[in-house]
């Protein structure tokens, strides 16, 4: 890209933004002929004021437009870079519903199309394809916001429900990729939208996204308190129905509360919350995926191991992995959950000094969902530790994976 003339770079990024020459010219206050001449190199583009205006319209770094690629947080899988981050941030900064309050909203996307897009995005996330998801998120966010702003009556509630899910998807993948502030913003938006959707369970699972983002930002104690507070409100029984969906959301609130408690070393709360989650999973009876939670008995054990790692007890995590997780049930889970667990166990092995098995867990996770291993900062830390503590040259599969991750000793 940096070898191309600047006009060709403008044409490339305009095309990537799905913008016609006419639309681009209108936003720039120029003629379509002027744009065409710039892109073909017939006319020079040498005014910095115009360059910055073009970069602003194309929502990109001016250095990238000039062929000087800004620092990119990415690996061979193109997990996420600053262009995607800027696009997602721009989409999160939109307030379509407020604009629609004052002016008539344009024709919104059909809800049937939105349902399909949101379901596809969830599956893309649960299969661990983070690069693909982050590239699709800006448009999905804009479409979901337009649907939320443009529908009325019963359809408005469904549109809000879909937008709340899109915010949750965005929060989950951004947190994994280390964009914690944006993850918190998206999660916070999801909670607000869930209230308009009039769905307590959607609000409950949105709470877990907010709390995960808080934990990632070092705010584990308020995350623990919020998870437990909302879990108590949604607990099955009494005036609340005992449905599979409610058990799943309630159980995930407890599991995320346990993870928050483990971050502050509160092992007693970890044990209590895991016990309550196990009871909910027993009532549920099997691993299910209501509200995209993957909640059930196996997920409880995965979180038991993960909490042990956060408490610094790698030996306990490995023991849970070996003795409490049934292989057929584990293999039936979606790739993101399995690869996430293998990353946790790699951390556990690293904590007990078994770098050979730590490396093996990373390799296994990479075969299941490469993005979970290659894109996550915590996985890079584990790989760095494996390389540093391996005597002599690391085995070739580990060396190859480290190179693909961009990790050195």
């Amino acid at each position: 890209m940096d070898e191309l003339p600047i006009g060709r770079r403008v044409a490339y990024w305009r095309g990537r933004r799905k913008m016609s020459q006419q639309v681009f010219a209108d936003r720039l206050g120029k003629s379509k002929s002027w744009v065409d001449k710039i892109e073909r190199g017939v006319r020079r583009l040498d005014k910095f004021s115009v360059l910055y205006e073009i970069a602003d319209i194309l929502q990109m770094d001016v250095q990238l437009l000039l062929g000087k690629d800004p620092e990119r947080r990415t690996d061979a899988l193109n997990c996420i870079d600053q262009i995607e981050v800027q696009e997602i941030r721009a989409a999160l900064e939109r307030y379509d519903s407020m604009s629609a309050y004052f002016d008539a909203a344009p024709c919104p996307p059909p809800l049937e199309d939105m349902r399909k897009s949101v379901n596809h995005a969830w599956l893309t996330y649960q299969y661990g394809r983070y690069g693909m998801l982050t590239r699709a998120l800006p448009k999905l966010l804009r479409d979901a916001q337009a649907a939320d702003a443009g529908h009325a009556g019963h359809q408005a509630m469904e549109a809000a429900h879909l937008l709340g899910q899109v915010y949750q998807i965005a929060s989950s993948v951004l947190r994994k990729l280390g964009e914690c502030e944006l993850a918190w913003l998206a999660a916070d938006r999801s909670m607000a939208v869930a209230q308009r959707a009039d769905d307590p369970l959607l609000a409950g699972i949105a709470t877990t996204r907010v709390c995960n983002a808080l934990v990632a930002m070092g705010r584990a104690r308020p995350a623990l308190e919020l998870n437990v507070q909302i879990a108590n409100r949604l607990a099955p029984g009494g005036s609340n129905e005992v449905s599979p969906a409610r058990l799943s959301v309630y159980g995930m609130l407890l599991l995320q509360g346990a993870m928050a408690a483990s971050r502050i070393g509160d092992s007693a709360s970890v044990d209590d919350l895991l016990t309550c989650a196990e009871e909910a999973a027993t009532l549920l009876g099997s691993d299910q995926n209501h509200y995209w939670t993957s909640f059930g008995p196996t997920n409880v054990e995965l979180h038991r191991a993960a909490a042990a790692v956060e408490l610094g007890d790698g030996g306990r995590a490995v023991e849970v992995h070996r003795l409490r997780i049934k292989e057929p049930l584990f293999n039936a889970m979606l790739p993101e959950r399995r690869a996430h667990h293998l990353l946790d166990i790699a951390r556990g092995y690293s904590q007990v000094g078994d770098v050979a098995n730590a490396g093996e867990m990373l390799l296994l996770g990479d075969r299941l969902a490469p993005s979970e291993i290659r894109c996550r900062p915590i996985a890079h830390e584990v790989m760095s530790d494996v390389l540093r503590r391996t005597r002599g040259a690391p085995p070739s599969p580990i060396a190859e994976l480290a190179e693909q991750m961009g990790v050195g000793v």
Side-chain angles (χ1 to χ4, degrees):
M1 177 59 64
D2 57 0
E3 300 295 328
L4 293 177
I6 190 167
R8 292 280 299 281
R9 289 197 292 273
V10 170
Y12 169 82
W13 288 108
R14 176 183 59 75
R16 181 166 173 174
R17 299 299 184 263
K18 310 295 184 187
M19 198 180 298
S20 69
Q21 280 190 341
Q22 186 63 63
V23 169
F24 181 55
D26 291 344
R27 294 185 183 180
L28 196 57
K30 302 286 187 181
S31 67
K32 181 180 177 183
S33 174
W34 184 91
V35 170
D36 183 66
K37 289 177 181 178
I38 288 294
E39 293 185 348
R40 289 190 294 113
V42 175
R43 184 177 185 130
R44 294 182 63 186
L45 185 58
D46 50 10
K47 288 186 178 180
F48 276 98
S49 59
V50 178
L51 281 168
Y52 277 99
E53 191 173 359
I54 288 173
D56 183 59
I57 290 169
L58 296 176
Q59 298 181 350
M60 60 185 296
D61 192 298
V62 73
Q63 295 299 314
L64 188 64
L65 186 62
L66 289 168
K68 301 173 182 178
D69 205 346
E71 181 181 354
R72 299 167 73 93
R73 298 176 55 257
T74 184
D75 61 19
L77 284 182
N78 193 23
C79 304
I80 191 170
D81 62 30
Q82 291 308 304
I83 303 305
E84 273 80 43
V85 170
Q86 289 170 18
E87 288 188 344
I88 293 169
R89 179 180 287 110
L92 288 171
E93 289 171 350
R94 291 167 63 96
Y95 289 87
D96 289 17
S97 59
M98 183 57 69
S99 299
Y101 178 76
F102 293 100
D103 302 297
C107 183
L111 289 183
E112 178 61 29
D113 293 347
M114 284 304 308
R115 281 193 293 272
K116 292 177 181 177
S117 296
V118 172
N119 286 340
H120 182 264
W122 273 121
L123 288 172
T124 303
Y125 173 76
Q126 292 195 322
Y127 275 83
R129 296 166 182 163
Y130 305 147
M132 181 187 301
L133 181 56
T134 55
R135 287 187 287 277
L137 263 176
K139 182 178 186 303
L140 183 59
L141 281 161
R142 291 191 295 268
D143 287 349
Q145 290 162 337
D148 178 58
H151 286 287
H154 177 73
Q155 287 188 321
M157 292 179 64
E158 183 178 358
H161 202 287
L162 291 168
L163 177 58
Q165 292 184 61
V166 175
Y167 282 141
Q168 291 190 42
I169 295 166
S171 177
S172 297
V173 71
L174 287 166
R175 178 181 56 83
K176 279 182 177 285
L177 300 176
E179 295 291 338
C180 300
E181 295 287 346
L182 276 184
W184 179 83
L185 174 60
D188 187 68
R189 289 281 184 85
S190 74
M191 287 187 73
V193 172
Q195 295 174 45
R196 287 197 286 106
D198 194 26
D199 184 344
L201 299 185
L202 183 67
I205 204 62
T207 301
T208 68
R209 316 294 180 188
V210 170
C211 293
N212 285 342
L214 287 173
V215 169
M217 293 189 295
R219 303 287 296 159
R221 189 169 294 281
L224 168 60
E225 293 170 356
L226 181 56
N227 270 313
V228 172
Q229 176 188 355
I230 303 304
N232 289 336
R233 297 282 184 89
L234 292 178
S239 60
N240 291 335
E241 63 179 351
V242 185
S243 66
R246 183 176 292 273
L247 284 166
S248 298
V249 172
Y250 169 69
M252 283 308 297
L253 282 160
L254 296 172
L255 290 181
Q256 296 309 320
M259 295 307 301
S262 68
R263 281 292 185 97
I264 56 177
D266 186 351
S267 58
S269 292
V270 170
D271 291 342
D272 288 344
L273 290 166
L274 287 173
T275 297
C276 292
E278 187 174 14
E279 292 171 356
T282 300
L283 283 174
L284 186 61
S286 62
D287 299 310
Q288 301 180 28
N289 201 20
H290 299 283
Y291 282 80
W292 306 94
T293 57
S294 294
F295 182 73
T298 305
N299 210 354
V300 171
E301 298 306 324
L302 302 190
H303 281 79
R304 193 186 306 278
V309 171
E310 293 298 339
L311 288 167
D313 192 351
R316 172 61 177 158
V318 171
E319 180 183 347
V320 170
H321 173 70
R322 288 175 172 172
L323 302 180
R324 296 183 66 102
I325 297 173
K326 308 303 181 184
E327 189 170 338
L329 296 176
F330 178 69
N331 290 339
M333 301 200 79
L334 288 161
E336 178 273 334
R337 277 282 76 216
R338 287 186 283 160
H340 187 146
H341 172 70
L342 292 171
L343 174 54
D344 286 333
I345 300 307
R347 295 173 63 197
Y349 274 120
S350 182
Q351 286 176 354
V352 298
D354 188 347
V355 292
N357 270 316
E360 183 62 26
M361 293 299 107
L362 292 177
L363 289 171
L364 291 174
D366 183 65
R367 290 169 197 155
L368 281 171
S371 292
E372 181 70 17
I373 303 302
R374 303 185 192 187
C375 297
R376 296 195 60 191
I378 187 64
H380 286 220
E381 292 177 17
V382 177
M383 176 59 82
S384 181
D385 187 54
V386 167
L387 295 178
R388 186 175 61 252
R389 296 165 65 184
T390 298
R391 295 182 180 179
S396 58
I398 293 293
E400 290 172 10
L401 178 57
E403 183 178 358
Q404 290 165 342
M405 294 170 68
V407 176
V409 178

